Amino acid sequence: MYAQLVETGLKKVRDVADMTPEEQAFQARIDADVKIEPKDWMPEAYRRTLIRQIQQHAHSEVVGMLPEGNWITRAPSLQRKAILMAKVQDEAGHGLYLYCAAETLGVSRDEMIADLHAGKVKYSSIFNYPTLTWADIGTIGWLVDGAAIMNQIPLCRCSFGPYARAMIRVCKEESFHQRQGFDIMLALCRGTDDQKAMAQDALNRWWWPSLMMFGPSDAESVHSAQSARWKIKLLSNDELRQRFVDQTAPQADFLGLRIPDDRLAWNEERGHYDFGEIDWQEFHEVIQGHGPCNRDRMRTRVKAWEDGAWVREAALAHAAKRAKREAKQAA
Amino acid sequence: MSSEWPLWEVFIRSQHGLAHKHVGSLHAPDAEMAVRNARDVYTRRNEGVSIWVVRSNDIVASSPDERDALFDPATSKVYRHPTFFPMPEEVKHI
């Protein structure tokens, strides 16, 4: 998802027997659905896992602006341009809500950004694919934001108060993103043959990477099991992926587009769609930095950070000068 | 120079005359910029008609350790709630 393969640093799930009295009390609060707040006592592994998870999520929002920003100047009408700008602005906002939530756990903004730039912390694999045509912008809104909503709605109930509250704000805004994407697809699919072909081409390229967003099956993962106990992961990767396929397949039918999977079929018995095998090799390559756009994305982020340094410094110097002047006048 | 912009807590008053409510935080070099950034980050959809920003360092908070000492005394004083007093059915408007 926006946070993929989040490690807990633990080798096995903590049982009651392994826990100190403090940890037991902490787990009891989580089991009773009491929110954990920043100043409350928490196990170090919980704190570190959350910092990793929220940070990855924040970086994904910020890097996620790049593939879409690519199309702002080329959107097909003034209205589409204004809408896309508003959407990209929301992504920046989502990144900021999340960075603030992570900061309540005692990590600084600069540390998080330094970790991203040093490649120590990841962001979602999905943002390492290029946006080649306008239909890609429609597909991203429809599929990528659709997948994000699927993951983020349960996180509104997660155990850490600031993260849950940030997710509530994000979810309120996210359905605009998904609908604007579907609206673009609708316009293309109702347009000329060439426009419909463009929509199909975009779906062909984004379908599998969208399914990879949920991450590999985590039925056996210690990290996921521990995160589930801590209620910072509420549904498994496979459950979320299945929900996404079930929800999206009829939408593709409505658009008259074909999902590029020969094995996609409704399974009456299961009450779900069956679907084909995902190429996890590709996922791991992208996660490890070898996707089509990884280097370009990082280069762009680092350049933005470095080019903005003088602005950050000047604003701080100006604030310091003014504070000094005011202190002098008051004296 | 690598020092970060200070952190500010943001409070927004929504349309309907309610009190300012904490919505989150942000970094800004000074108070004026904090208000402008808060406008962009927290009120993109008419969420508010007024913004307060306060330096996070200036906020004094109760500690979770004192929770019981601070809040327990209220739990035994149920008579502070009107429902503590049963009223006869016949008595109206009370």
Side-chain angles (χ1 to χ4, degrees):
Chain A
M1 204 27 357
Y2 275 22
Q4 294 159 325
L5 305 176
V6 179
E7 297 205 350
T8 54
L10 298 173
K11 297 256 187 311
K12 71 188 265 292
V13 177
R14 302 280 285 170
D15 293 329
V16 179
D18 311 324
M19 292 182 187
T20 62
E22 273 171 320
E23 271 182 274
Q24 286 178 19
F26 173 83
Q27 187 63 49
R29 291 183 67 197
I30 289 187
D31 293 343
D33 281 329
V34 176
K35 292 272 184 266
I36 306 301
E37 296 296 338
K39 288 188 171 174
D40 294 341
W41 184 89
M42 60 184 83
E44 207 37 43
Y46 176 85
R47 179 191 301 277
R48 279 202 299 261
T49 305
L50 262 181
I51 288 176
R52 263 194 293 270
Q53 178 172 341
I54 301 175
Q55 189 181 166
Q56 270 196 37
H57 198 155
H59 294 325
S60 297
E61 300 282 357
V62 171
V63 178
M65 290 193 281
L66 300 176
E68 294 187 297
N70 180 32
W71 277 91
I72 289 177
T73 56
R74 292 177 287 161
S77 70
L78 195 54
Q79 176 166 282
R80 293 282 187 202
K81 189 188 293 234
I83 292 171
L84 184 57
M85 277 207 291
K87 181 191 189 268
V88 172
Q89 221 179 6
D90 274 356
E91 306 299 359
H94 297 178
L96 292 174
Y97 308 154
L98 286 158
Y99 282 130
C100 289
E103 284 175 274
T104 65
L105 291 159
V107 61
S108 79
R109 181 80 58 99
D110 281 0
E111 284 172 75
M112 290 189 271
I113 289 172
D115 281 355
L116 171 69
H117 293 175
K120 285 190 206 158
V121 181
K122 298 181 194 337
Y123 55 91
S124 176
S125 55
I126 194 77
F127 300 118
N128 292 309
Y129 291 86
T131 40
L132 303 180
T133 72
W134 173 248
D136 290 35
I137 300 306
T139 313
I140 288 179
W142 174 37
L143 298 184
V144 176
D145 289 278
I149 293 173
M150 201 116 271
N151 175 57
Q152 287 166 341
I153 285 180
L155 283 175
C156 295
R157 294 182 283 115
C158 79
S159 62
F160 187 57
Y163 193 25
R165 292 191 285 271
M167 280 299 103
I168 291 170
R169 294 189 69 85
V170 167
C171 285
K172 275 188 190 160
E173 300 178 350
E174 202 84 66
S175 58
F176 145 54
H177 299 177
Q178 193 189 12
R179 283 183 177 210
Q180 68 86 35
F182 194 78
D183 188 61
I184 292 172
M185 297 307 272
L186 213 49
L188 290 172
C189 291
R190 288 172 175 168
T192 64
D193 288 350
D194 281 351
Q195 286 171 323
K196 189 157 185 187
M198 191 194 269
Q200 182 64 56
D201 167 66
L203 176 59
N204 291 348
R205 285 180 288 107
W206 287 92
W207 175 252
W208 292 105
S210 298
L211 294 194
M212 289 174 203
M213 281 178 75
F214 297 95
S217 175
D218 56 356
E220 307 291 319
S221 161
V222 169
H223 302 302
S224 292
Q226 181 63 61
S227 291
R229 277 216 79 184
W230 282 332
K231 293 191 186 166
I232 54 178
K233 182 177 178 74
L234 292 110
L235 294 167
S236 77
N237 294 349
D238 288 330
E239 280 173 296
L240 287 167
R241 186 167 19 245
Q242 182 70 61
R243 282 189 186 191
F244 176 74
V245 173
D246 289 348
Q247 162 186 298
T248 311
Q251 294 168 352
D253 285 343
F254 182 86
L255 291 171
L257 296 177
R258 186 189 161 273
I259 288 175
D261 178 356
D262 292 335
R263 287 169 59 189
L264 186 89
W266 176 253
N267 183 328
E268 192 66 51
E269 204 174 308
R270 288 202 310 130
H272 291 291
Y273 280 88
D274 291 335
F275 53 96
E277 280 295 313
I278 292 166
D279 179 3
W280 292 113
Q281 175 79 22
E282 175 181 329
F283 171 79
H284 286 292
E285 276 171 19
V286 175
I287 277 281
Q288 281 155 21
H290 310 300
C293 300
N294 296 57
R295 262 169 258 171
D296 187 53
R297 298 287 184 245
M298 264 313 96
R299 216 172 14 236
T300 310
R301 280 312 311 151
V302 171
K303 184 173 186 306
W305 178 253
E306 286 173 357
D307 288 354
W310 72 270
V311 180
R312 296 191 297 276
E313 287 166 17
L316 212 50
H318 177 70
K321 193 173 80 180
R322 271 224 314 220
K324 207 167 152 189
R325 194 186 302 146
E326 277 163 25
K328 212 171 181 180
Q329 274 168 2
Chain B
M1 195 164 78
S2 69
S3 57
E4 274 189 4
W5 288 353
L7 192 65
W8 302 75
E9 299 301 321
V10 180
F11 300 81
I12 303 282
R13 187 210 295 280
S14 63
Q15 311 274 356
H16 309 292
L18 297 171
H20 285 78
K21 191 176 162 211
H22 183 245
V23 291
S25 52
L26 51 75
H27 289 271
D30 58 33
E32 193 186 332
M33 286 305 297
V35 171
R36 283 168 185 267
N37 290 353
R39 197 278 309 255
D40 290 344
V41 180
Y42 291 106
T43 65
R44 288 192 303 281
R45 288 174 176 77
N46 295 318
E47 287 92 338
V49 293
S50 163
I51 298 172
W52 286 353
V53 294
V54 183
R55 282 281 291 262
S56 306
N57 283 341
D58 291 338
I59 289 190
V60 181
S62 64
S63 149
D65 303 334
E66 331 167 85
R67 185 157 40 202
D68 293 349
L70 285 175
F71 305 114
D72 266 7
T75 54
S76 58
K77 297 173 183 61
V78 284
Y79 42 80
R80 281 178 172 155
H81 297 280
T83 46
F84 177 76
F85 306 93
M87 288 291 126
E89 283 263 334
E90 300 80 357
V91 180
K92 302 296 179 198
H93 307 297
I94 186 162

